[in-house]
Amino acid sequence: VSDFSLQFLGAAKTVTGSRILLNLPGGGRYLVDCGLFQGPKNIRERNWQSHPDLLKLDGIILTHAHIDHSGYLPRLVKEGYKGPIYASPATADLCRIMLLDAAHLQEEDARFANMTQYSHHSPAIPLFDTKDAEQALSQFRATQLHREFELAKGIRVQMIPSGHMLGSTYIHMTIDAVKRSILFSGDIGNGRSQVIKPPEKPPCADYVVMEATYGDRCQPRTDPLNELEPIIKKVLGRGGTLVVPAFSVGRTQELLYLIATLEREGRINPVAVYLDSPMALDATELYLAHQSELRQHNGFGPFAGARYTSVRSTDDSMLLCMNTDPKIVISAAGMLTGGRILHHLKARLPDEKSGVLFVGYQAEGTKGRLLKHGLTQIRIHHQPISVEAEIFSIDSLSAHADSDDLVKWAAAIQPAPAQIFLNHGEQLALEALAYRLRHENKQRVLIAEADQIYPLE
Ligand SMILES: [Zn+2]
């Protein structure tokens, strides 16, 4: 059957813009994930390419809510896509927060470009706006976890939890006409989250599309509780504030669990915790609304006993910046690319009693990277700020499977798939993982090339 094929429209030899086009025998066309390209300008420009062929898709299926997997939806809808968008219930809920936030950022960027006349388009226009995001959200169809549903006649789909973030799943598809099945991994978790349940065993499939983000790296297996305890004791013990830049969805909730656990076990004195990010507060509520996806600890959910003060208004955030009592402030953006965290840093970096704790990857060219690498002065809002506060980092809170986890994950797919396609990774990560899967698992592996059509049989 010649019209059965896969094509990688993004996240091929890179980690953003996940979009996999699936042509089915008999004519169905589906897209698995619909991500935004992120990073340097030459990569982001690809978001402006139009894709008239994608407007007539029969459906889009999402693996999870991260913007590099969902953020192109409002743009595609703006261009005219009117079909259904399938996602797990928690992914659909998280997309409401994340796509509206993405739209807001697009609008802000366009406004800033017009103010500074720094744009190709004149006037600058956003890639999409709030109205487009709302329209995309209205096309979502929440799909229960585990329950197989008929995407079209003879095409069955099942969403299986992948342990990467709230709502994240593998997509398993069975095509009756050719008696074949395909598994799309999405991003795979590592089972070390204390908030989200570990990834489920992948089901067998003839073809597997698998991510390789950390294909060439292994993460520390240290217990984050042991790393966090001395940092809190040190900074709060000397009367300082511990400022934690964190991603609103994922790291923030892990931190709430860790702090509550250290308190409950009597390892630290009770501390004042402020969650200064409306998006993080909304996301935390969604976690609580999807209890069945959360890990249980001795019969309690991960946030049992977590006490924190919600800071929603900008006025309250400004007041908090002036507060010099010992405390922990969790705020966004995680890489210091903007947002309220910058005000907290401006207030606390010059204070030698205080500390800044990085809990996630800091991309090149961000203020987060500069601070983490020990710069003694940085510029915030055009002012030079001297760095007297102590800088800490914890690297054991990754939401991704590492190289060993990925090799084990693939080995669990039995019998061995006819072909594994690797995507969502930089060149070295892809090559390292391909090598390991071929030699350790004896599996057939191919690294996906952008835009190439791979016929399936
Ligand atoms: Zn992800």
Side-chain angles (χ1 to χ4, degrees), residues 63-69 164-165 168 186-188 399-400 424:
T63 61
H64 65 292
H66 278 148
I67 288 299
D68 59 323
H69 293 256
H164 167 64
M165 79 182 302
S168 72
D187 286 355
I188 303 168
H400 277 277
H424 202 284

Side-chain angles (χ1 to χ4, degrees), residues 94-127:
L94 279 172
C95 278
R96 171 156 289 282
I97 297 179
M98 299 182 81
L99 295 182
L100 289 173
D101 181 67
H104 182 68
L105 290 176
Q106 291 289 339
E107 290 165 0
E108 288 285 294
D109 282 354
R111 197 166 12 236
F112 181 74
N114 283 326
M115 253 157 51
T116 55
Q117 299 186 334
Y118 182 71
S119 167
H120 298 305
H121 314 275
S122 189
I125 44 167
L127 188 63

Side-chain angles (χ1 to χ4, degrees), residues 29-31 34 52-62 72-87 99 132-142 151:
R29 280 160 63 81
Y30 293 89
L31 197 65
C34 189
D53 46 322
L54 294 185
L55 303 182
K56 294 184 289 277
L57 290 168
D58 295 291
I60 299 174
I61 311 169
L62 293 190
Y72 189 64
L73 286 169
R75 177 68 191 185
L76 200 59
V77 162
K78 181 180 187 168
E79 290 194 347
Y81 176 69
K82 293 188 165 48
I85 300 162
Y86 302 92
L99 295 182
D132 304 317
E134 289 284 6
Q135 178 57 41
L137 290 164
S138 75
Q139 292 168 226
F140 269 67
R141 295 196 194 167
L151 189 63

Side-chain angles (χ1 to χ4, degrees), residues 364-377:
E364 252 173 77
T366 59
K367 283 190 181 71
R369 174 70 75 100
L370 296 176
L371 268 184
K372 203 172 163 175
H373 283 193
L375 231 70
T376 53
Q377 195 188 69

Side-chain angles (χ1 to χ4, degrees), residues 95 100 103 151 155 175 226 232 237 328 335 368 382 390 401 403 446:
C95 278
L100 289 173
L151 189 63
I155 301 160
I175 303 121
N226 293 341
I232 292 177
I328 298 175
M335 291 193 209
H382 308 292
E390 195 170 356
S403 187
L446 190 149

